[in-house]
Amino acid sequence: MNQESASLAIEHEADIVRIRPLNVNAVQLTLLAPRLAETAQPGQFVNVRTPYMLRRPIGIMDADPASGQIDLGIRMVGKGTEWLAGRKIGETLSLLGPLGHGFDLSGWKRVITVGGGTGVFPLYFVQQACRRQKIDAIAVCGYPSKQDSILTEEYASCGCQVLFASDAGDMDIAGHAAWALEHLLTDLEPEPETVIMSCGPKVMMQSVAELARRYNLACQVSLEERMACGIGVCLVCTCKTRDSRGQEQMSRCCSEGPVFAAEDVIW
Ligand SMILES: Cc1cc2nc3c(=O)[nH]c(=O)nc-3n(C[C@H](O)[C@H](O)[C@H](O)COP(=O)(O)OP(=O)(O)OC[C@H]3O[C@@H](n4cnc5c(N)ncnc54)[C@H](O)[C@@H]3O)c2cc1C
Ligand code: FES
């Protein structure tokens, strides 16, 4: 993916300047990290230190070089993310980053983001980048139910066309995000320079990749493997991909990914 976005990991001591609850299980942390805000690309992540063993990988939700601030969206699933969500304004976090290869926006006229669950966090950064670069953008966001939804107002106000889907059937479309994408693609004006960028549960991204193949559209997916070092050393995060000759190979999700061309991923 985007070779430009692979950069040397630097440790940042970042002060928390804002904390915003997003729903009962998720918060948004805004941190002052000017060097990170300057260099971070959509799809990259930071490895965040907690009191527990191993840093936690968290996608960058937005970065604003002007204010020197970055946003992280945290969904509480275990002790590390619960600790992060319980921080207070003024506390400092140690972040390693920006890490990994992000999404490649260069040359595309239209970007469709398809996010499920916490996948909507890093894709929000993609949408903001599209807005800044004046790329036509559409967002498809899927959640279990309206109650679990996150960033709906933010997506609705970022200038793109938005489609919200929920398994419970209490949002725009009943079903998961890939189902909503199929719905969208059926009626969409053709634009050859269209790319789909997806992040979320693996099974959802696999369906998105299959749809992209059927509609002959480029597709980039952000894989979420368990990670430890986050910088390509420990090999904890390896996943199966195809090289340029179609041969199966092992790739490190943290350093060669997390974003891969969908056709290179061996699901
Ligand atoms: C590239 C990337 C981006 C991510 N972005 C976000 C985000 O923006 N917001 C968010 O809320 N979550 C994100 N996650 C998932 C997040 O890293 C895990 O939910 C978190 O590490 C769980 O830690 P825990 O201590 O709360 O849970 P525990 O289950 O107690 O974690 C135990 C260990 O497993 C690892 N681990 C557990 N689940 C995952 C997972 N899904 N992916 C990688 N490592 C895991 C942890 O690092 C830790 O070492 C991302 C994961 C990856 C790989
Ligand atoms: S997390 Fe260590 S190599 Fe990827």
Side-chain angles (χ1 to χ4, degrees):
M1 282 294 95
N2 188 3
Q3 299 297 317
E4 295 290 309
S5 66
S7 46
L8 220 55
I10 297 175
E11 189 170 353
H12 308 259
E13 294 295 317
D15 291 346
I16 301 172
V17 294
R18 186 166 170 244
I19 301 171
R20 196 167 70 99
L22 297 174
N23 66 24
V24 285
N25 286 317
V27 299
Q28 176 182 346
L29 299 181
T30 304
L31 298 120
L32 193 59
R35 288 180 73 190
L36 204 43
E38 193 74 52
T39 52
Q41 300 295 318
Q44 289 190 297
F45 65 99
V46 287
N47 223 1
V48 189
R49 186 184 289 148
T50 73
Y52 312 108
M53 210 169 73
L54 302 176
R55 288 171 179 260
R56 282 2 183 210
I58 301 291
I60 299 168
M61 186 184 125
D62 202 4
D64 177 18
S67 65
Q69 295 179 355
I70 65 153
D71 290 307
L72 302 179
I74 312 282
R75 180 161 151 255
M76 292 173 264
V77 296
K79 58 187 184 187
T81 44
E82 275 164 19
W83 181 84
L84 285 172
R87 295 308 86 216
K88 301 272 180 289
I89 290 173
E91 290 186 36
T92 304
L93 291 180
S94 161
L95 314 177
L96 199 62
L99 299 175
H101 284 104
F103 291 101
D104 192 349
L105 278 90
S106 51
W108 299 109
K109 293 217 172 83
R110 181 165 63 195
V111 172
I112 305 173
T113 60
V114 185
T118 50
V120 302
F121 288 135
L123 292 174
Y124 182 70
F125 194 1
V126 173
Q127 286 294 342
Q128 291 299 339
C130 289
R131 190 176 56 80
R132 288 166 195 143
Q133 294 173 35
K134 302 198 181 345
I135 300 172
D136 193 15
I138 303 172
V140 179
C141 303
Y143 312 96
S145 71
K146 192 170 182 182
Q147 200 189 331
D148 302 300
S149 65
I150 12 179
L151 299 183
T152 49
E153 282 175 26
E154 290 75 4
Y155 270 96
S157 59
C158 74
C160 57
Q161 180 190 334
V162 198
L163 204 54
F164 295 117
S166 74
D167 300 330
D170 52 1
M171 299 185 83
D172 298 340
I173 298 220
H176 52 73
W179 171 247
L181 174 68
E182 181 153 26
H183 199 83
L184 174 89
L185 291 176
T186 323
D187 298 329
L188 200 62
E189 283 277 298
E191 163 52 71
E193 299 301 305
T194 297
V195 61
I196 298 173
M197 299 185 176
S198 186
C199 186
K202 212 173 211 171
V203 59
M204 181 211 85
M205 287 194 290
Q206 197 172 353
S207 306
V208 170
E210 173 55 25
L211 271 173
R213 199 187 58 75
R214 256 173 47 209
Y215 281 80
N216 208 15
L217 295 171
C219 182
Q220 303 173 15
V221 292
S222 181
L223 299 186
E224 196 182 290
E225 296 292 339
R226 284 189 169 246
M227 291 183 181
C229 72
I231 53 170
V233 177
C234 71
L235 306 185
V236 159
C237 65
T238 49
C239 55
K240 280 187 188 169
T241 59
R242 283 185 200 88
D243 66 15
S244 52
R245 290 167 299 136
Q247 301 291 314
E248 188 174 314
Q249 63 178 2
M250 298 306 286
S251 295
R252 290 160 299 176
C253 184
C254 68
S255 52
E256 277 118 8
V259 178
F260 294 92
E263 72 259 26
D264 292 343
V265 175
I266 298 173
W267 302 95

